[in-house]
Amino acid sequence: MLKSLQWRRPEILLLLLALAMPLSFGVWQALLNNFVIERAQFTGAEIGLLQSVREIPGFLAFTVVFVLLLVREQRLAFISLIATGAGVAITGFFPSTLGLLCTTLLMSVGFHYYEALKTSLALQWLPKETSAIWLGRIMAAGSFASLAAYGLVWLAAEKLQLDYTWIYLIGGGLTVLLVAALWLAFPAFPQPHVQHKKIILRKRYWLYYALTFMSGARRQIFVVFAGFLMVEKFGYSVAEVAQLFIANHLLNLYLAPKIGRFIVRFGERRALTVEYIGLIVVFGGYALVETATAAAVLYIIDHLFFSMAIAIKTYFQKIVDERDIASSAAVSFTINHIAAVIIPVAFGLMWLVSPAAVFWCGAAMAAGSLLLAQNIPALPAAGNEVRWGRVAAPGATA
């Protein structure tokens, strides 16, 4: 009996939750650009508005701290994932600007609450020495589920000729069903440290906040405009976009665990240096690319660099007071989304004038992140948060 229950462990739950999210969000992401262009006649301005609305719950992710006064983290993670699946499931029924704004907002509240809670739970449950390896495995699990989602999109759109409405409904429904099963199957796990239930900002975390802010800005270039480039400029179909995502996640499935081991061996500073140098090249390539094949190569390389962002989380895990994790994860998610609320709208207008300028701005952001990453010490710890510019003793609050 004991052996039969050994799989009911926190790290296994994190892996299975990582499977649940992409089943709906992957479908939403793969269909979005084609759906809004074909059914809602979006231009760069409307897609920018939609993506900015999608990021508003991320900007307000700090409010999860107050919800935790009423609901335990693990249970709130389940509820958030169910909201995500429900939002995706009904998307196809509302092919208008207002309808898409509403369904996207529902999906996004669930998505961003879950992402903040996932980070918090992982940093609390996983040992510091091997957390990068486990985070790589969790990312690989998400890639596996994303492969299933994009495979579903390709099969449903290309072979079965299903309408957008049915594909959204299936993808969102799968997430809801899986999360409900996990909720019933797993016990409520204890938290090793009682978490603060208030907003906490500490001066000694300033480098983590800065890296997180720049990461949010960089992410928008990929999520919003790189995908839009593939459809608007190069005419990629739903099936072709799904194939790109499949290629992305096949590589990520293999490489994410290896990247986790790379971070453990070589440290956060070196991992982030590789990522940001690569991004400067990739964003410059987007600005200059003129062929669909070259754009696809850049898109795949761009996606691979997301795995390197594990290093920001493990850096923070090493310097943070364990009682700050839940609050800091929520606050950092808000910081991550400050740029995310502004950039889609502002850059969407810039897109109408010069798509290349959007990507040159992305290259400049990557260069700024590269400079910040050089300030990470070889052995991050409480009291050794930065190489230069230490501004407060451990425990001092802003």
Side-chain angles (χ1 to χ4, degrees):
M1 178 65 176
L2 182 61
K3 289 185 177 180
S4 67
L5 296 177
Q6 286 180 348
W7 61 272
R8 299 173 71 193
R9 307 194 309 271
E11 58 268 36
I12 301 302
L13 177 59
L14 289 171
L15 285 170
L16 294 174
L17 289 176
L19 292 173
M21 169 60 78
L23 292 176
S24 54
F25 185 71
V27 168
W28 184 87
Q29 190 176 41
L31 292 178
L32 178 66
N33 288 308
N34 294 86
F35 183 65
V36 299
I37 289 173
E38 294 176 19
R39 297 294 176 84
Q41 290 76 51
F42 274 25
T43 66
E46 285 85 13
I47 192 67
L49 173 62
L50 180 69
Q51 294 288 4
S52 284
V53 168
R54 183 177 73 85
E55 298 294 3
I56 289 173
F59 179 72
L60 299 176
F62 69 89
T63 59
V64 75
V65 175
F66 305 119
V67 181
L68 290 176
L69 292 169
L70 304 174
V71 185
R72 293 183 73 253
E73 278 188 81
Q74 184 177 330
R75 179 174 295 181
L76 186 55
F78 291 144
I79 295 170
S80 299
L81 272 174
I82 289 173
T84 304
V88 172
I90 63 175
T91 295
F93 294 101
F94 301 95
S96 65
T97 300
L98 179 60
L100 282 164
L101 290 175
C102 292
T103 57
T104 297
L105 190 62
L106 172 61
M107 179 276 294
S108 185
V109 169
F111 175 88
H112 287 100
Y113 265 34
Y114 167 71
E115 287 296 312
L117 293 164
K118 177 185 73 173
T119 297
S120 172
L121 291 172
L123 296 185
Q124 291 178 68
W125 287 343
L126 300 177
K128 293 181 182 180
E129 297 77 14
T130 57
S131 62
I133 295 173
W134 271 106
L135 288 170
R137 292 171 180 169
I138 291 168
M139 188 170 287
S143 291
F144 179 79
S146 294
L147 284 173
Y150 303 137
L152 167 65
V153 169
W154 177 81
L155 177 66
E158 189 76 2
K159 301 300 181 183
L160 301 179
Q161 303 292 311
L162 291 182
D163 186 72
Y164 285 110
T165 303
W166 285 104
I167 304 175
Y168 278 123
L169 188 61
I170 293 169
L174 286 173
T175 291
V176 172
L177 290 174
L178 178 55
V179 174
L182 294 177
W183 197 337
L184 294 174
F186 280 84
F189 295 113
Q191 294 171 246
H193 300 278
V194 177
Q195 296 296 296
H196 293 302
K197 301 299 193 299
K198 59 183 180 181
I199 301 300
I200 292 176
L201 288 169
R202 300 199 188 277
K203 289 180 181 179
R204 66 187 184 92
Y205 301 158
W206 74 266
L207 180 58
Y208 170 68
Y209 297 147
L211 288 168
T212 299
F213 174 81
M214 296 304 293
S215 175
R218 162 265 195 275
R219 185 168 51 87
Q220 295 309 304
I221 305 298
F222 176 82
V223 171
V224 180
F225 297 104
F228 200 69
L229 178 77
M230 307 305 291
V231 176
E232 185 182 68
K233 183 172 182 178
F234 298 109
Y236 274 66
S237 66
V238 168
E240 288 169 334
V241 170
Q243 287 169 350
L244 273 179
F245 281 119
I246 288 170
N248 284 341
H249 288 282
L250 275 174
L251 289 170
N252 211 41
L253 185 64
Y254 173 74
L255 289 176
K258 295 183 181 298
I259 289 172
R261 288 192 287 272
F262 177 90
I263 295 168
V264 170
R265 181 176 179 183
F266 295 104
E268 287 82 5
R269 184 171 72 241
R270 290 181 180 176
L272 292 174
T273 297
V274 171
E275 177 186 1
Y276 297 137
I277 290 174
L279 287 177
I280 293 170
V281 175
V282 167
F283 288 146
Y286 280 138
L288 301 172
V289 69
E290 291 297 335
T291 68
T293 301
V297 171
L298 290 169
Y299 195 76
I300 291 170
I301 295 172
D302 191 359
H303 187 271
L304 289 178
F305 284 123
F306 274 102
S307 297
M308 291 290 189
I310 291 172
I312 299 178
K313 295 180 181 180
T314 59
Y315 162 68
F316 184 61
Q317 187 186 32
K318 293 174 181 177
I319 68 171
V320 70
D321 181 327
E322 287 85 353
R323 296 168 298 174
D324 293 350
I325 291 176
S327 175
S328 296
V331 168
S332 68
F333 225 68
T334 292
I335 292 171
N336 182 273
H337 286 77
I338 293 172
V341 171
I342 299 169
I343 283 177
V345 168
F347 282 26
L349 297 174
M350 185 189 298
W351 183 275
L352 299 177
V353 178
S354 173
V358 170
F359 296 116
W360 286 123
C361 288
M365 293 172 190
S369 297
L370 177 62
L371 291 175
L372 288 170
Q374 304 316 300
N375 203 16
I376 297 176
L379 297 173
N384 188 38
E385 296 88 2
V386 294
R387 299 169 74 190
W388 314 288
R390 190 173 292 116
V391 296
T397 57

